[in-house]
Each structure stands twice: as C-alpha cells, then as structure tokens.
Amino acid sequence: MTVFRRKTPSGLTEKYYYKFQVGGKLFRGPTPYTVEKEAAEWEANEKRRVLELDSKGKVLEQIRRHVVGDGVQLSDAWAAFLQVPRKKQMADGRQKLELACWNDFLAYMADRYPEIGELNGVSREMAEEYIQHIRTKGRWVRTISFRRKGKHKGVAYKSKAEKLSASTANNYLQVCRKVCKHLERRAGLAENPFGGIEKLDLDTETREAFTLEQLEKIEKAATGWMYSLFLTGINTGLREGDICRLTWENVDLENGWLDVVPSKTSKKRVKVRIPMFPALREHLETLPGERKGPLFPELARRYKTDRSGLSKQITAFLSGLEIETTREVPGRSRRASVRDVHSLRHTFAYLAGMNGWPFPLVQSILGHMSPEMTKLYMSHATDAEKAKLVATAPSMHAAMKQLPPPAEAPAAEDVLAKVRAELEAMTAKNWKEKREAALKLLDGGKQEAETPNAER
C-alpha cells in the first residue's frame, strides 16, 4: 500500500494521504478516510480513474493530430517540406530556385496577412490573390540580391520585369502547390489552397534551326572552345550542358561512338549511343593533352564557374555574326530566345529528317521522349543502322549543302482561286478529273490524280 499518514507537530494526522504517478505526472493528496484499508481502496479507485482519463486523452490527441495535424508555422514550412521522404532528392540548383519562389510567397503573406502564422491559416482566396499578382504584376519582392563573383559585397537591384512569362508564373504556382501537398496532413490542411488553380497556357517562343548561311558564318568565325561547342552540337544534337560535361570516358574513338546519359532525357537516366560523324571524330583526334577528364576543359570550366556568363558570350558571338538571337513576344516584358546552342539540337533533328533518317532512329539519338517510348524506339534502332547512316552522310553540315532549297508554298488565296476555277469548270462528263485536280491543289500537290494527263 502506498497510503500514509503525515506527521504534524501535534502528532500523526487522522486521515490517510495517497501518492502515485501516471504518464510521468505525480498525483498526491489526502483521502477522505481515517482507516488505512478504506484509504487504500480509495487510492486504487482514484488511480484507475486517472488512468482511464489519461487513456482517453491520448486517443483524443491522436484524433486531433490526425484531423488537424501538428500544425506547421509558415516560417518552418520549407524545412519541414525538405524532411518529407521522396523518390529523388532535388539538386542544389533546383532547390535554390524553388526556395526563392516559396520565400516570395512568405513575403507576400507577411506583408498582406501578418496575422497568419501557420500554414493551415492560408485560405484558397489568399492563394488565388498571390498567384494573380504573380501573373499580372510579377514577383512580390522586386528587389533581387546577389553576390558578384570574386567580390564579397552583396549587390541588389530592383527587377524591371513587370510581367513574368507563363512558364515562370506556373513555376511559382507549382512550388507553392507542392509544398502544401507534401505538408497537407502534418499541417492540418482541409484542402490544398493552391490545388484548384489552373496553370497558364505556355507562351514560349520556339527555338529555330540555323540556316545554311548561318552555319557557314559560325563555321568560319568560331575558334577554340566556341568551335568545339558548335561542332559537337551540330553533329550530336546534345544540349549545351551535356556537351560541356562530356569527358573522355564518354568517347570511343576507335569505334566512333559517344555514350552519353543526357541530363534531361528521362527520370530513369537512359544512356544514349551517338555515332560520331567524321568531322567531329577528326576534331577529337586532334585535341591536345591526355585523353582523360573533361573532353573540352576550357568549356567545362566556363560552364561550371559562370554559366550565365557563358550564355552571354555565345549570344554575343551569334549577334556579332548578325544572327537573330532574341525576339519580342506580345504581352511579355523580356525578349524570348530563338537561337542559341539549343538551336543546334533543332538543326540536327531537321537535317536528319530532311535526309530521310527514320523517325525512331532520330529519337533514339536525341533521346527526347517519355522513358517508355524511348525504350520502344531504341529497340528498333540498332548500332548497325546508326553506323550505316553515318557512313552515307559524312557530316551534318555537308549533308545540308546537298539539300535543294525548299520550294515556297503557294499563298492560300491562290490555291482557293485555282480550286474554285476547277469546280466551276466541272461538268457531268469531266467531274472526276476536276475533283481530282481540286483535291491535288488542296493537298499541296501531294495527291496524284487518278486519271492520266493524256486521257484528260
């Protein structure tokens, strides 16, 4: 028994006292009894009552946590988001970009709704207001801070972009939606406040392939790492980053192959085997130094240390050749890029198609499709087929010179006028001939008439 009587200056107390612990908490006090046996029974009943209340409290707490979550402070949301297990960890560069988007939303909430401290306090209306601001007026925080290379002093400036591209605006929406989705249960969100907001249709300007004249200008003017970059791009269709990261481990000079795992091919990181055209193979054979490490050391260094600076140098090089690199897009404050290193990828695909390369073969080299489609098409494109086509086309540039200039398509008004003339001349005797002639005009000359010209 744990009941006891206390000592006082006048002697022992008449009533007994109890003392026990439940869940780490101490319970003690007097019993209403002076008889030890009765006091012990009272203590046992009191202990059972406390245990029952403690058990119910734990259940209620579990229900509360399941329904409303533990609660996540807005200021702690990003750290909590990073702790959520996921299939693939974000790269440092991507993480930095997404954190910038989330911090912009936090700044918006701090300025507009300072009374909201937890994530579950963000309503659908607040989320819609923020995304609408992003789409119509740009970032909430217009001041951009950065650190110049080689300098310890930070630099800040106010962004002049009054409107973001649809792709960038969608990125802000996607980041906010993703953070809320991963913390939905833990933060006790009744619904994802960003969940029902639709993305904008993209207004991106498509990259354009280089023309024959532009390729000739580039070939004459490019030297050093610039020449290596453009020559590799036009002969492989690789992206800029993949070219800059090439190492001698990717090169099989003896057999004439490049084995590359493109950075953006698929989540499964499918390896792509690319045959080397003679021009690229000869260039690699003449490169100085040991055949280990980066394939183009200077290019790799520039890409790693100052990627934006590299892009600016490429743009300046093309602009110096009077090649259009950017173009204004209605509704956007920034000009869109239309010709850069990525245009070499488009040029590669265009030339391959114009020279009659099978579609599956082009796709297997570019690796530009879903993982399932890549696997399907690559199973039909064997090394022998690739090597055979390389032998028949010495270089992409030379292949382009052999192509006849594309014929200009007739104006739509001229086609309709000719079709109308054929239909007006239609009679009961010649209706078949006139119909075929009209169809041929509408198909752009692709459909041959069934009746020979000699019989018309």
Side-chain angles (χ1 to χ4, degrees), residues 227-239:
Y227 180 81
S228 297
L229 177 63
F230 277 89
L231 179 67
T232 307
I234 194 63
N235 280 275
T236 63
L238 287 173
R239 297 177 177 87

Side-chain angles (χ1 to χ4, degrees), residues 22 84 194 210 249 254 367-368:
V22 172
V84 176
F194 295 91
F210 289 106
E249 293 180 356
E254 183 178 353
H368 194 207

Side-chain angles (χ1 to χ4, degrees), residues 373-414:
M373 291 297 288
T374 301
K375 184 177 180 181
L376 173 65
Y377 282 121
M378 288 184 70
S379 65
H380 296 295
T382 64
D383 289 353
E385 288 175 321
K386 294 178 183 178
K388 181 180 178 181
L389 282 172
V390 169
T392 59
S395 73
M396 295 301 291
H397 193 188
M400 189 172 192
K401 290 182 179 179
Q402 298 170 5
L403 295 177
E408 293 186 4
E413 293 80 3
D414 295 340

